[in-house]
């Protein structure tokens, strides 16, 4: 059974049709890249997977481990192992990073019927993950993402991902806004999480990221559906020729 | 038409007239002041919505009747109040007033620090000499609720902190209403902090949850030059109570006054603050948090009078309004001629948790000096859906996510409390309120 199956997904926002019969299958242990022009619906797909409210699914289904998740709340999906690294992470002034991380981790553990983590265990985990991602402990003393640069926010998303150990990771343009060193650090962080029982969807505009996080499969999205699927060489092809051919194919 | 319209006396007004006529014997001391104050009430009646300061809290309509003056507490009431007001993590000297009466056996006045004196108002009112010199003159106001307090004041606490005495242990005036019979209490406290002295004053109010008792309480606070005072009020009245509170503070030069009110209880509450800055270079921080639900109505009406220049005023209020509750904020800042270099900023924010919740806000600036910095800002809105989604996407259930955001919203005001133990107690009280909500 594949980890994720998206079947003929049709989605509207405020009466506007955005996803248009999208199909996507991601087997366990694989990394899939999704590329495609601005406005083609990549972030919309990511949000619908995570369970954002404003999106109305008018047709189709999303199965995680063979079960539909469309009726689940976002927190329930997270507890089942779904994680979205946001294209634009939020600043939450007044909510301390550590409180946020601990609340999230323990809420997920509770939902899965696991023991909550003790304070020393929790702190140790955060320290280890932060060190691997070169995130200064001082940054975690602030409010969530407050005063972080664009790149720092992206790194913080990966920190959350590493801490929560999800089974399906959706990374929405995690590479945008990262400098070259940070890109390397983030890619290393992501690669460290690759595992036979963990799948990833990496949304990106740039082939460069895929040099570091080498995908098993590359999909091209246009006008709300997957219009082409291939191996990692597809990304190189797109880099060279652009999306012209797919814009027409989808029309 | 030019006919003189005399509004009919309401039932509550008639009961107050009656009470004053019939209980002269119980209203000991300050005879002339009481009579003069009561005359103000006779002339104006209870404040109503056409009185600008009471625009959103029509006391004449809200106060259906006036409860009989509370009797002295019996032994059972005193025994029940023995532990009242204890705050976890805060070691305070507690002075408990039961049904408006100072109870000596519940007043922790043992081993007072050097320079500190504490007596009851009732005692001070009949004492020879001028133990109460200055009472009623801290900040003058024509407010009728203050006048009623002066007319009926029965007891309270008189605290003096001598020059340069730093009293580290907070003093906590605990007001408890107990008993099944609704009654009215009128308490008046006078706290004089002499130049260079330091005091943390806690004031709390609690009472029976299903009795519609009425509280009229007033505090006069004199802050001398260079003194540092923090006043933290906890409004935890029973859910049917009417709570009318007036704080009058006169502050000298180079002083620091921090005032914080945390309101979760009561049916109808009015916190009025009359603050006058008499000396230069003083720092004033007035803030509060209101956590309301059901049909609660809480009104904060504040007057800050910059009579001297070079002072910094910071006012920040945060309100969480759920169900059909209503929060009111009226803030007026006056900068007198010559009060140059005044720096005053006032902000009020309301978080509306239901469609029916309401927040009214009326800031006013009256500036008569030219070299000043004054501003005010107000917001009212729902929780940010995008932030909620972010938290939920990390596995935090909706109610918990809301609680996190509300806690941080309120925490922003609580940060203004300098005393660490109190600050933590307020954070915990907010968490408790949120827990009761879900
Ligand atoms: N809440 C919304 N209301 C209205 N239109 C929306 C909303 N969200 C997305 N859209 C529209 O849906 C389309 C797809 O948007 P989406 O953000 O999914 O694209 P994308 O592929 O992620 O683009 P990019 O590469 O620029 O990130 C766009 O035309 C966008 O304007
Ligand atoms: Mg996008």
């Amino acid at each position: 059974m594949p980890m994720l199956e998206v079947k003929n997904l049709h989605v509207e926002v405020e009466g506007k049709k955005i996803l248009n019969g999208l199909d996507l299958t991601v087997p366990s242990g694989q990394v899939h890249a999704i590329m495609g022009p601005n406005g083609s619906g990549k972030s919309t797909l990511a949000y619908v997977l995570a369970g954002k409210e404003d999106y109305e699914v008018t047709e189709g289904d999303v199965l995680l481990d063979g079960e539909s998740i469309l009726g689940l709340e976002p927190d329930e999906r997270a507890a089942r192992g779904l994680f979205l690294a946001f294209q634009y992470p939020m600043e939450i002034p007044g909510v301390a990073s550590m409180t946020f991380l601990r609340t999230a981790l323990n809420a997920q553990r509770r939902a899965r019927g696991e023991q909550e983590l003790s304070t020393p265990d929790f702190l140790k985990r955060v320290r280890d993950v932060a060190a691997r991602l070169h995130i200064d402990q001082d940054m975690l003393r602030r409010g969530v993402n407050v005063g972080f640069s664009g790149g720092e926010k992206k790194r913080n998303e990966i920190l959350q991902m590493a801490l929560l150990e999800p089974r399906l990771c959706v990374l929405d343009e995690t590479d945008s806004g990262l400098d070259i060193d940070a890109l390397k650090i983030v890619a290393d962080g992501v690669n460290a999480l690759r595992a036979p029982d963990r799948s990833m969807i990496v949304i990106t505009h740039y082939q460069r990221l895929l040099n570091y996080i080498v995908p098993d499969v590359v999909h091209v999205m246009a006008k709300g559906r997957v219009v082409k699927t291939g191996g990692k060489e597809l990304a190189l092809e797109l880099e060279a020729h652009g999306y012209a051919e797919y814009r027409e194919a989808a029309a | 038409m030019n006919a003189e319209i005399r509004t009919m006396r309401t039932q509550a007004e008639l009961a107050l007239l009656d009470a004053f006529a019939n209980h002269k014997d119980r209203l000991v001391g300050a005879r002339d002041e009481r009579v003069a104050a009561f005359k103000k009430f006779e002339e104006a009646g209870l404040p109503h919505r056409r009185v600008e300061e009471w625009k959103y809290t029509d006391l004449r309509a809200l106060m259906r009747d006036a409860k009989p003056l509370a009797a002295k507490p019996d032994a059972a009431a005193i025994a029940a109040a023995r532990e009242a007001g204890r705050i976890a993590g805060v070691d305070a000297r507690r002075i408990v007033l039961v049904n408006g009466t100072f109870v000596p056996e519940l007043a922790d006045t043992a081993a007072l620090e050097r320079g500190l004196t504490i007596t009851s108002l009732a005692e001070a009112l009949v004492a020879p000499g001028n133990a109460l010199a200055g009472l009623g003159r801290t900040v003058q106001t024509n407010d009728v609720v203050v006048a009623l307090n002066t007319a009926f004041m029965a007891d309270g606490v008189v605290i003096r902190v001598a020059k340069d005495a730093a009293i580290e242990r907070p003093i906590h005036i605990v007001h408890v209403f107990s008993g099944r019979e609704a009654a009215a209490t009128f308490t008046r406290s006078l706290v004089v902090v002499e130049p260079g002295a330091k005091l943390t004053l806690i004031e709390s109010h609690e009472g029976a949850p299903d009795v519609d008792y009425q509280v009229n309480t007033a505090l006069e606070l004199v802050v001398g030059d260079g003194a540092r005072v923090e006043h933290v009020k906890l409004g935890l009245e029973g859910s049917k109570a009417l709570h009318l509170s007036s704080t009058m503070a006169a502050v000298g030069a180079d002083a620091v006054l921090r005032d914080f009110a945390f309101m979760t209880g009561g049916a109808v509450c009015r916190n009025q603050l009359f603050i006058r800055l008499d000396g230069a270079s003083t720092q004033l921080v007035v803030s509060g948090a209101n956590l309301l639900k059901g049909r609660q109505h809480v009104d904060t009406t504040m007057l800050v009078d910059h009579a001297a220049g070079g002072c910094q005023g910071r006012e920040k209020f945060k309100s969480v309004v759920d169900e059909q509750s209503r929060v009111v904020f009226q803030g007026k800042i006056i900068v007198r001629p010559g009060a140059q270099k005044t720096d005053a900023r006032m902000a009020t924010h309301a978080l509306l948790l239901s469609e029916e919740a309401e927040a009214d806000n009326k800031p006013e600036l009256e500036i008569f000096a030219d070299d000043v910095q004054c501003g005010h800002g107000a917001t009212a809105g729902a929780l940010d859906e995008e932030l909620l989604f972010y938290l939920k996407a990390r596995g935090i259930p909706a109610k918990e996510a809301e609680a996190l955001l509300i806690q941080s919203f309120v925490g922003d005001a609580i940060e203004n409390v300098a005393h660490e133990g109190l600050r933590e107690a307020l954070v915990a009280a907010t968490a408790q309120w949120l827990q009761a909500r879900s």
Side-chain angles (χ1 to χ4, degrees), chain A residues 52 74-75 78 83-84 86 91 93-94 100 103-104 107-108 110 145 157 160, chain B residues 385-387 389-398 400 404-405 407-409:
Chain A
K52 197 161 193 240
D75 55 296
F83 180 92
L84 167 63
F86 283 62
E91 289 191 17
F100 164 69
T103 307
Q108 291 199 18
R110 248 183 289 128
N145 287 326
E157 292 291 284
Q160 293 168 35
Chain B
E385 286 295 331
E386 299 288 323
L387 292 185
F389 175 63
Y390 188 68
L391 295 170
K392 287 190 277 185
R394 294 297 175 255
I396 302 174
E400 221 177 318
L404 265 183
L405 294 183
Q407 183 97 50
S408 77
F409 173 83

Side-chain angles (χ1 to χ4, degrees), chain A residues 13-14 16 18 37-44 55 87 173 205:
Chain A
V13 182
E14 289 159 22
K16 184 180 164 199
I18 299 177
N38 294 130
S40 56
K42 303 182 297 296
S43 291
T44 301
Y55 297 84
Q87 181 169 3
E173 296 197 25
H205 285 294

